[in-house]
Amino acid sequence: MHLCRHRTASKHGSSDTPRSSAAPRSAHDLPPILRMQRAIGNRAVNRLIQRQFDVKFDPCVVLPNGRKVCGSDAVSACEKAPGIPGCSTVCKLLGCKKSNKPAEKCVPPWRTATSKDFTGQCCLGPVDRKETCCPPDRVALSDFRCCVGDEVVVDGKCVKSSDIPPGPLDLCLPGQRTTTGECCTLPLVPEGPVCVVPKPPAPPTPPPAPPIPKPFEIFFNFDRPNPGESASAARRSSATAEGVKNFDALVATLRADSTLRVHLTGKTSPEGDAGHNLALGERRARLVKAALIDAGIDPSRLADLPSGSPAGCDSLEPGVANCHTKSASGPRDRQTRAQAFR
């Protein structure tokens, strides 16, 4: 603790005249009086020292930048950053004004202490402990610990005061000053001339949906499937090799993208009479539907197109239609057309 000797002017203008007729004691008498603190208390000793030696206490602290300040300068520093080592003594002896600013919030993974013994402190971990709780300005976010002893927080890390080169007094974190010079206390951030609550980050932009695949054409052999032929028996024998390949591609696409739905349209080539082709187109559409369900595709994913069934085609059930010979021109019309959509 630093003691400063102050001269007191008398009524006659002499700056060295003592307040009483008795000569002031020498500085060698001061330590024994300080030892009286234990017996009569700090306040009584303070009054005795000031009365007998005309001195006052002038405690000092070391700032985060390594600069040592005493007296009123120490009070100013401690009012801004109470966590500086030695501030408890400075404020006890000289008095520090309590800040009217709201209490600082703890930055995750640090949390606000829940026990009375650590009121106003931030703690790391589920339990409030002396080793993991400290005032917000003693939290080293990069080191995940509290600074202890003569350590101070510099750029989120604990650094010994003796390792910091002397510099100008600046108790504000980098990037926390407004355009007018005001220091914003976390979690507030500068925005032009004022301190504001930071805006929540914008939600990530969802990735674009995969493109809609082209229609799948499941081609059939001439006049197949036969009436009454089951889907399991007709699946490989009724469809052409190209049709089987396209059907397998359709199943793989629907499995890879659960957002896709599908609409099936049975078609025929122009050979045969209208009644025969009408029934054949329906069998082809229903066979592909049964094959999709056997492959594990949920029946609810068969649905009508947003624009409805193609003009001139008959809707058989949701997701299934029959266009028979409409616009038919040749063998490539012997198919079930599967249109995937969202």
Side-chain angles (χ1 to χ4, degrees), residues 14 20 57 152 157 175 209 220 265:
S14 174
S20 63
F57 287 98
V152 294
K157 297 182 178 180
F220 288 88
T265 304

Side-chain angles (χ1 to χ4, degrees), residues 98-173:
K98 293 184 178 180
S99 175
N100 292 326
K101 294 184 178 180
E104 294 189 57
K105 295 182 180 179
C106 302
V107 179
W110 294 78
R111 58 174 180 79
T112 302
T114 56
S115 60
K116 293 182 179 179
D117 294 339
F118 300 97
T119 300
Q121 298 189 20
C122 297
C123 297
L124 186 64
V127 181
D128 294 357
R129 296 187 302 161
K130 180 180 180 181
E131 295 78 10
T132 56
C133 294
C134 55
D137 56 345
R138 300 287 288 164
V139 171
L141 296 177
S142 299
D143 289 345
F144 292 99
R145 69 180 182 92
C146 294
C147 294
V148 297
D150 65 341
E151 292 179 332
V152 294
V153 180
V154 178
D155 295 332
K157 297 182 178 180
C158 292
V159 180
K160 288 188 176 182
S161 300
S162 56
D163 296 337
I164 303 176
L169 174 62
D170 190 357
L171 302 178
C172 192
L173 293 175

Side-chain angles (χ1 to χ4, degrees), residues 253-261 301:
T253 300
L254 294 175
R255 287 175 176 172
D257 188 348
S258 61
T259 66
L260 287 176
R261 294 182 291 171
R301 297 179 66 184

Side-chain angles (χ1 to χ4, degrees), residues 1-233:
M1 183 175 293
H2 179 64
L3 298 174
C4 297
R5 180 72 178 263
H6 294 268
R7 296 177 177 178
T8 304
S10 67
K11 295 181 179 179
H12 302 288
S14 174
S15 61
D16 293 326
T17 303
R19 292 183 177 179
S20 63
S21 57
R25 300 184 183 182
S26 66
H28 297 290
D29 293 329
L30 186 57
I33 294 178
L34 291 177
R35 287 195 291 269
M36 296 172 59
Q37 287 180 334
R38 187 172 300 177
I40 65 175
N42 290 337
R43 294 184 179 179
V45 171
N46 291 348
R47 289 195 297 268
L48 178 61
I49 292 174
Q50 293 178 21
R51 185 167 59 251
Q52 297 293 333
F53 293 93
D54 195 21
V55 297
K56 69 176 182 179
F57 287 98
D58 207 9
C60 304
V61 294
V62 178
L63 302 178
N65 59 9
R67 178 184 173 188
K68 181 178 181 181
V69 293
C70 305
S72 59
D73 291 337
V75 171
S76 299
C78 290
E79 289 176 346
K80 296 178 180 178
I84 296 176
C87 276
S88 58
T89 302
V90 170
C91 293
K92 183 177 180 180
L93 294 176
L94 302 182
C96 299
K97 295 180 181 178
K98 293 184 178 180
S99 175
N100 292 326
K101 294 184 178 180
E104 294 189 57
K105 295 182 180 179
C106 302
V107 179
W110 294 78
R111 58 174 180 79
T112 302
T114 56
S115 60
K116 293 182 179 179
D117 294 339
F118 300 97
T119 300
Q121 298 189 20
C122 297
C123 297
L124 186 64
V127 181
D128 294 357
R129 296 187 302 161
K130 180 180 180 181
E131 295 78 10
T132 56
C133 294
C134 55
D137 56 345
R138 300 287 288 164
V139 171
L141 296 177
S142 299
D143 289 345
F144 292 99
R145 69 180 182 92
C146 294
C147 294
V148 297
D150 65 341
E151 292 179 332
V152 294
V153 180
V154 178
D155 295 332
K157 297 182 178 180
C158 292
V159 180
K160 288 188 176 182
S161 300
S162 56
D163 296 337
I164 303 176
L169 174 62
D170 190 357
L171 302 178
C172 192
L173 293 175
Q176 283 295 108
R177 289 198 179 277
T178 66
T179 55
T180 59
E182 180 184 0
C183 181
C184 299
T185 303
L186 293 175
L188 300 181
V189 296
E191 185 175 286
V194 296
C195 298
V196 298
V197 176
K199 298 178 181 178
T205 303
I212 301 295
K214 294 181 179 180
F216 297 85
E217 296 177 312
I218 295 88
F219 294 105
F220 288 88
N221 292 313
F222 177 73
D223 210 26
R224 298 294 298 275
N226 294 323
E229 192 173 9
S230 66
S232 58

